[in-house]
Amino acid sequence: MIIYQNTAGGFVDDVVQNAIIDEIVAGFETQGVGGASQNEIRSWKNSLQYMSNLFYNCDVPTDADVAIEFQIPLTSRRVDFMISGRDINDNKNITIIELKQWEGNPTEPVPDKDGIVKTILGGGKRETTHPSYQAWSYSRLIEDFNLKVQQDEIELCPLAYLHNFDEQYRERLDHPAYKHYTKEAPVFLKQDVDNLSRVLESKIASTNSENLIQQIADSDLKPNKKLQDSLGAMLEANDEFTLIDSQKVVFERAVELAEKANQQNSKKVLIVEGGPGTGKTVVAINILAELIQEDYTAQYVSKNRAPRSVYKKKLRGDMLVKEIDHLFNGAGSYVSTSSNQFPALIADEAHRLNEESNFFGKGENQIMEIINASQFSVFFIDENQRVHIDDIGSRQEIKKFANQMNADIEEMELEAQFRCSGSDGYVAWLDDVLEIRDTANADGFDLEFDVRLYDDPQSLHHAIEQKNKAGTLSRVVAGYCWEWEKEGRSDSDYVDIEIGDYRKSWNRDGGDPWAIDEGSIDEVGCIHTCQGLEFDYVGVIIGPDMKYRDGEIVTDHEGRASTDYSLRGVKKMMNEDPEEAQKIVDEVVKNTYRTLLSRGLKGCYIYCCDDQLEDYLRTRLENINGSIEF
């Protein structure tokens, strides 16, 4: 989709005649994608004047094709400015220009994060993507999936133009941490008008009235060979992605259904139920890689950022994470996607899907949007891991929307348990202990799984540190019962959690994904940083949102931090319908701890803020014939 399209000469005329903003706004209305925001309009008024001035300064052909706000297929992202033609060697070329109004003084590098800088945005200093990374990533996505670009060998040349950014601050964007991106997509600043003019003249030296931009907008989508080979090699080299037993069965069936759906032009939906540690994500990643290698455009989808970040990093091998970034997408990315645009979408952690797709309240229902956007969709789900008041993912909801769109529905189950020392019994015991459901494991389970109960959090944390030091990936996590203060989110020395003399920082917002960042062993994680992931040993601090009173588990929404939105709105519900509100609180709190307590492959160490809950767990643990310590 292209919001504005013209020749270079026509674009300059529209700017000179003060018509360019009206033309772009009209383009939004014509495309039916809603109105432009005031921030976007201000940006166009500023930046497009500089682009017009640039054309006055260089000899780019006036009949070169120009596009503004070109929406990249498969995403909701739009390229600021594109110009196409033939370069000085007569090769087809499209130059991709990321425009920024940034000024140098408030901008600073963030070297511990990949492709991230900090600058003034929306009235405050915020982290955002480096302009070179942004331009490069747009170019990479088009190259990886656009058939026209691949077949016609169209060269894409990304660059960034920061027309207000003064030369004296150049080192803030040219920091060594950004070397890969600035090499692929050079940055041009306020004083670089002549240099940028010469670059554009070399890239767009002539035209053949080919309208290359429209051609790539209309092109079919297909993964390129380089991406296919790289993804296959990465999976083959990583034993963690090897499939066994029911994982292999589900994988083969999912691939078969995807092929049939696309060959027969019929919509198909597969629902895969699997408890903690059954390998849902491993199967999902394998399906993604296989379909990409079979020429199907596919994406891995999840609401949680943590598993997307961790598995991108695990999967990449020697590649940069960002080179496969576009294969992993958030669940709210398909609001305006046309029907069946994707051959396949793989929705992991589908129990976390919501109705509204983003913070602006757009979108009708993420389940519906995913099914609508794809010829084949697979949903990996564990309804007992719904840990937010807005979580709607369930078999019933998926079936409802699949039926509305006349999709064929199939259901499967992952049975093998690879976490908790391979025991379904431990998870069933947790369900009984937390009073989620009655199970046959009320008296315990028989396995070598290291469960320990500690009477102070410092001892628990030290034990987990020792496990991690011995070479087993181990982390401490907790219920979201302490405030995560904004000013301390990037500082591991900032104290968020205080329990007596125990003082720790919440999951630091920075660097590698928290679950696998080396520094994370000194911090405490929450449900949002570890759901969908696993450790060898997990230490769990059960906060004041869960207690034991009068012979039963009691949940308390007042024990949750205000910075956690998982129970947002429940106080109002307590006044309107206290019985239903308490039911929701019970589900969210109990499922949260069920999820945290089942993150361990080899063991789980527990501390309870509530003494009566500790006594209750001690009693329950005494019945287990396993490796139990107190």
Side-chain angles (χ1 to χ4, degrees), residues 100-136:
K100 296 294 184 190
Q101 303 177 73
W102 300 358
E103 296 185 358
N105 189 38
T107 301
E108 58 186 89
V110 184
D112 63 337
K113 292 187 178 181
D114 185 18
I116 299 296
V117 296
K118 187 178 289 187
T119 195
I120 299 296
L121 291 173
K125 185 171 281 191
R126 307 178 192 279
E127 291 185 352
T128 187
T129 49
H130 189 288
S132 291
Y133 163 70
Q134 205 167 341
W136 169 82

Side-chain angles (χ1 to χ4, degrees), residues 400-503:
K400 179 180 78 174
F401 288 108
N403 283 323
Q404 287 180 11
M405 284 177 267
N406 298 316
D408 298 325
I409 303 170
E410 189 165 323
E411 298 181 65
M412 299 184 75
E413 187 170 352
L414 285 168
E415 299 171 348
Q417 166 65 251
F418 302 100
R419 203 175 293 152
C420 309
S421 289
S423 170
D424 288 320
Y426 172 72
V427 177
W429 178 79
L430 278 181
D431 287 345
D432 194 273
V433 167
L434 297 176
E435 298 176 359
I436 292 173
R437 63 185 177 93
D438 294 331
T439 73
N441 295 74
D443 296 329
F445 48 92
D446 185 12
L447 78 160
E448 291 298 318
F449 183 63
D450 188 6
V451 183
R452 306 189 190 191
L453 189 63
Y454 287 80
D455 57 12
D456 77 275
Q458 190 62 58
S459 297
L460 177 146
H461 206 118
H462 177 72
I464 292 295
E465 286 176 330
Q466 293 304 112
K467 289 294 184 182
N468 192 70
K469 189 179 294 184
T472 59
L473 180 63
S474 304
R475 294 289 184 267
V476 177
V477 298
Y480 208 143
C481 301
W482 294 269
E483 302 295 332
W484 194 33
E485 300 296 345
K486 189 173 183 179
E487 61 268 25
R489 292 182 182 182
S490 60
D491 183 3
S492 59
D493 294 325
Y494 188 95
V495 174
D496 300 287
I497 298 173
E498 293 189 61
I499 307 173
D501 294 332
Y502 180 75
R503 296 163 57 83

Side-chain angles (χ1 to χ4, degrees), residues 148-381:
K148 186 67 178 178
V149 170
Q150 298 163 23
Q151 290 177 339
D152 286 17
E153 297 182 346
I154 299 172
E155 183 178 1
L156 302 181
C157 299
L159 61 88
Y161 182 27
L162 284 70
H163 45 75
N164 296 332
F165 204 102
D166 198 88
E167 173 70 27
Q168 65 177 310
Y169 303 108
R170 181 180 290 275
E171 76 280 357
R172 302 187 182 187
L173 293 178
D174 279 350
H175 190 281
Y178 310 125
K179 183 177 180 181
H180 173 81
Y181 304 121
T182 55
K183 180 181 178 182
E184 297 293 331
V187 177
F188 295 88
L189 305 183
K190 180 180 179 180
Q191 288 86 357
D192 293 331
V193 171
D194 286 342
N195 290 338
L196 180 52
S197 296
R198 303 297 83 79
V199 168
L200 290 181
E201 288 172 351
S202 69
K203 300 299 182 184
I204 315 296
S206 63
T207 63
N208 283 0
S209 301
E210 294 164 299
N211 203 353
L212 295 179
I213 297 173
Q214 188 63 55
Q215 288 185 45
I216 68 169
D218 295 337
S219 173
D220 291 333
L221 303 177
K222 177 183 175 182
N224 72 20
K225 188 69 165 57
K226 180 181 178 182
L227 176 66
Q228 293 172 327
D229 292 344
S230 296
L231 201 55
M234 284 188 285
L235 236 67
E236 197 171 305
N238 197 327
D239 291 341
E240 186 173 347
F241 294 100
T242 301
L243 301 175
I244 64 173
D245 301 336
S246 62
Q247 294 179 336
K248 179 67 169 172
V249 175
V250 170
F251 163 79
E252 294 291 348
R253 184 57 178 161
V255 172
E256 180 183 12
L257 289 174
E259 292 170 343
K260 286 183 177 180
N262 284 277
Q263 292 165 6
Q264 300 170 0
N265 194 29
S266 61
K267 191 176 285 290
K268 296 185 184 297
V269 171
L270 175 62
I271 304 170
V272 180
E273 178 80 28
T278 51
K280 296 186 292 294
T281 301
V282 170
V283 180
I285 297 295
N286 272 274
I287 294 169
L288 171 70
E290 181 65 21
L291 292 177
I292 291 291
Q293 290 174 86
E294 291 191 13
D295 290 340
Y296 293 111
T297 299
Q299 286 182 332
Y300 170 98
V301 184
S302 78
K303 178 189 174 185
N304 285 9
R305 182 176 64 178
R308 294 201 308 268
S309 300
V310 168
Y311 278 96
K312 277 187 291 187
K313 191 172 182 66
K314 287 183 176 183
L315 186 62
R316 69 175 184 173
D318 294 329
M319 298 173 69
L320 286 168
V321 172
K322 302 300 183 184
E323 294 186 11
I324 57 171
D325 191 63
H326 46 267
L327 299 180
F328 295 79
N329 222 350
S333 303
Y334 307 98
V335 175
S336 58
T337 305
S338 58
S339 182
N340 298 334
Q341 180 176 336
F342 287 85
L345 292 176
I346 301 109
D348 198 10
E349 301 288 313
H351 38 271
R352 296 299 323 279
L353 295 175
N354 295 164
E355 290 184 337
E356 294 180 350
S357 287
N358 57 38
F359 293 115
F360 301 103
K362 294 181 180 179
E364 181 179 342
N365 184 290
Q366 290 178 349
I367 296 172
M368 180 273 290
E369 291 156 8
I370 290 170
I371 296 174
N372 174 69
S374 56
Q375 199 76 55
F376 167 73
S377 51
V378 52
F379 295 85
F380 290 88
I381 190 167

Side-chain angles (χ1 to χ4, degrees), residues 384 427-439 546-555 586-587 590-591 594 613 616-617 620:
N384 288 321
V427 177
W429 178 79
L430 278 181
D431 287 345
D432 194 273
V433 167
L434 297 176
E435 298 176 359
I436 292 173
R437 63 185 177 93
D438 294 331
T439 73
M546 192 163 79
K547 303 177 176 68
Y548 191 74
R549 297 290 185 271
D550 300 323
E552 63 180 13
I553 295 287
V554 175
T555 63
D586 285 346
E587 179 183 21
K590 290 180 179 181
N591 283 354
R594 178 187 187 267
L613 181 62
Y616 165 67
L617 290 182
R620 295 298 302 262

Side-chain angles (χ1 to χ4, degrees), residues 471-541:
T472 59
L473 180 63
S474 304
R475 294 289 184 267
V476 177
V477 298
Y480 208 143
C481 301
W482 294 269
E483 302 295 332
W484 194 33
E485 300 296 345
K486 189 173 183 179
E487 61 268 25
R489 292 182 182 182
S490 60
D491 183 3
S492 59
D493 294 325
Y494 188 95
V495 174
D496 300 287
I497 298 173
E498 293 189 61
I499 307 173
D501 294 332
Y502 180 75
R503 296 163 57 83
K504 290 292 180 182
S505 174
W506 267 123
N507 30 271
R508 178 168 44 92
D509 186 16
D512 286 338
W514 181 87
I516 55 177
D517 189 344
E518 289 184 8
S520 299
I521 187 60
D522 298 321
E523 302 160 4
V524 178
C526 70
I527 185 67
H528 308 305
T529 53
C530 68
Q531 188 170 26
L533 304 171
E534 60 190 22
F535 311 106
D536 291 305
Y537 288 85
V538 63
V540 180
I541 297 173

